[in-house]
């Protein structure tokens, strides 16, 4: 089973998961894209993924065609959803068993249709799927933090080129997130109730800098 271990030198937690080494080496051997014939995220290949936990489809049956968004458990998870959280402390060694969730949000049935090419409707649906999975998992009392992220390309760590995002729910809150929340709270209190993120957005819009259109 995966495990989270405390690094006391950096005061951070590190995930150890042997199953991650079994991921398909889609980018190894000089290729930059996954072969659509072998891609588990392509339309018609639903049998190649674990059973879906969420799908947007007009017609069809679960784990079959007809979808435009699918969410499935990661076949090579960093954390496993089964079990309870147990902490182990032995002198300087502090670990937590790797209970959590690791899911893949398949953003489109189209193998080469990346986010910049998606319609406004499809992008909205992707974000709606993020929200729906987040709200579902946050009800699980074992999970203390949920991260939604996207790796694009080999250099970012993606092992499959088909457009997708990932979600990880962990039983601990990373130190960096705690620091960010504390900073936001300090700003809120020092300004009499202002939101730091809102202030950043408003300032950048006003100055018309750092805006990419």
């Amino acid at each position: 089973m995966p495990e989270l271990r405390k690094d006391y030198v950096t005061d951070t937690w590190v995930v150890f998961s042997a199953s991650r080494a079994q991921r398909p080496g889609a980018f190894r051997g000089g290729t930059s894209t996954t072969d659509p014939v072998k891609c588990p995220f392509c339309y018609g290949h639903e049998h190649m993924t674990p059973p879906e936990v969420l799908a947007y489809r007009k017609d069809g049956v679960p784990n079959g065609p007809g979808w435009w968004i699918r969410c499935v458990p990661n076949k090579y998870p960093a954390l496993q959803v089964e079990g309870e959280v147990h902490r182990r402390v032995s002198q300087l060694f502090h670990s937590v068993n790797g209970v959590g969730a690791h899911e893949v949000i398949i953003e489109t049935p189209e193998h080469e249709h990346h986010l910049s090419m998606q319609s406004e409707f499809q992008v909205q649906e992707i974000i709606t799927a993020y929200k729906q999975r987040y709200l579902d998992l946050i009800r699980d009392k074992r999970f203390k933090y949920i991260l939604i992220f996207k790796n694009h390309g080999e250099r970012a760590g993606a092992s499959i080129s088909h457009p997708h995002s990932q979600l990880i729910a962990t039983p601990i809150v990373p130190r960096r997130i705690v620091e960010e929340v504390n900073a936001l709270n300090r700003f809120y209190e020092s300004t009499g109730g202002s939101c730091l993120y809102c202030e950043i957005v408003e300032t950048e819009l006003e100055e018309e800098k750092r805006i990419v259109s």
Side-chain angles (χ1 to χ4, degrees), residues 19-131:
S19 66
R20 297 294 289 162
Q22 302 171 13
R23 294 181 301 161
F27 294 110
R28 296 169 191 166
T31 181
S32 60
T33 60
T34 309
D35 183 352
V37 176
K38 301 178 181 179
C39 176
F41 298 163
C42 276
Y43 195 85
H45 294 176
E46 294 79 14
H47 63 284
M48 297 175 67
T49 69
E52 63 197 31
V53 294
L54 174 70
Y56 296 162
R57 59 166 54 83
K58 185 176 181 179
D59 299 303
V61 297
N63 301 300
W67 57 275
W68 58 91
I69 299 281
R70 288 185 82 222
C71 301
V72 300
N74 195 305
K75 194 173 182 178
Y76 308 96
L79 300 170
Q80 294 182 355
V81 74
E82 299 86 3
E84 296 299 323
V85 178
H86 298 292
R87 293 179 178 266
R88 293 180 292 275
V89 180
S90 176
Q91 296 182 355
L92 278 180
F93 300 112
H94 186 183
S95 63
V96 178
N97 58 322
V99 172
H102 191 178
E103 299 179 359
V104 176
I105 298 95
I106 306 171
E107 301 171 0
T108 172
E110 303 293 334
H111 187 70
E112 300 287 350
H113 217 61
H114 293 285
L115 193 62
S116 62
M117 305 165 63
Q118 305 281 10
S119 67
E120 183 176 323
F121 168 80
Q122 189 72 8
V123 173
Q124 289 176 342
E125 292 287 85
I126 293 169
I127 295 173
T128 300
Y130 291 167
K131 179 180 178 181

